[in-house]
Amino acid sequence: MKRRFNRAQRTTIIYAMLCIVLLIVILQLWLLTATMNAFLGDDDSVIWPAAGASVVCLLLNLGLLRYLYQMERP
Amino acid sequence: MSTDSKNEMIMKKSDGPAAASTSEQITKAPDGRPPEEQPTWRQDFPIDWPQDHHVARRDFTKFLVLTSFAFVVGQFWIAVQNFIRRRRSKPQMVKIASLAALPVGGAVVFKYPDAHDDCILIRTGEDTIAAFSQKCTHLACAVVPRPELNAFHCPCHAGYFDMSTGRAIAGPPKRPLPRITLKVNGDLIYATGVEVSTL
């Protein structure tokens, strides 16, 4: 059975989610700057692994977003 | 009636299907004063502050996920740019100067590999020459040789690069100047390629 949360609980969950998403986005920003630096230095060995890591981060964020939508659904 | 209960403002407005129950809609104005002391506009248009916070954080989380997607697009843009760069043909060998016409400490500015890429050739010793891109790796200002310091100097933000290796030694630049590979054939100096590096 799906558990219903009241608004205060949902706000707390959203705060936690926001913290996690923010951390992941900062990680992605770091990945992008590091990759750009490597690219400008003619080093292409990190480009695809970094792109893969960034996609994984996005998938994590999308998973959290999906949970958020499920939680908000009446 | 306690001060707390006085301060509580019961919201009448519904917020669609996801609206909180009546008990959840009890809220306080941000200044903490009782409803009757609130300005008229706030009495006329009361705001459910916890709901406002809830919606703001939720929407910000959604926006961050969109930002996350933008970063992924950026990563793939770099990958595509790298693919295009790899496909580009190697620059041709171009004659840039004559060794006899270049005294020790002398410099020649030339364009390589394209007409918009300024480069600088410098004779650092009797038998040593070096050539680098003239664009500072910080913000692309033109660097100038300072033989007395054995360095290239960027006048825009006081960046310095080692004259023999192109390595950034002072100031804001982090990456070295791209090195132009050279070939000396008799008295003539040719540019044969560009070497870019991170360190």
Side-chain angles (χ1 to χ4, degrees), chain B residues 110-125:
Chain B
F110 61 100
K111 312 272 188 192
Y112 188 81
D114 296 318
H116 305 290
D117 299 319
D118 288 320
C119 299
I120 190 160
L121 167 73
I122 189 149
R123 189 165 185 175
T124 50

Side-chain angles (χ1 to χ4, degrees), chain B residues 107-173:
Chain B
V108 170
V109 175
F110 61 100
K111 312 272 188 192
Y112 188 81
D114 296 318
H116 305 290
D117 299 319
D118 288 320
C119 299
I120 190 160
L121 167 73
I122 189 149
R123 189 165 185 175
T124 50
E126 199 59 52
D127 301 319
T128 50
I129 49 171
F132 299 96
S133 164
Q134 213 185 358
K135 270 186 201 167
C136 176
T137 52
H138 176 225
L139 287 176
C141 289
V143 295
V144 287
R146 296 279 295 273
E148 73 278 13
L149 299 172
N150 191 34
F152 288 106
H153 173 226
C154 176
C156 292
H157 303 99
Y160 285 88
F161 299 89
D162 186 87
M163 197 174 261
S164 41
T165 61
R167 203 164 55 85
I169 49 178

Side-chain angles (χ1 to χ4, degrees), chain A residues 24-39:
Chain A
I24 294 173
V25 168
I26 291 168
L27 177 71
Q28 282 185 297
L29 176 64
W30 175 79
L31 271 173
L32 187 70
T33 50
T35 312
M36 180 57 92
N37 189 46
F39 168 71

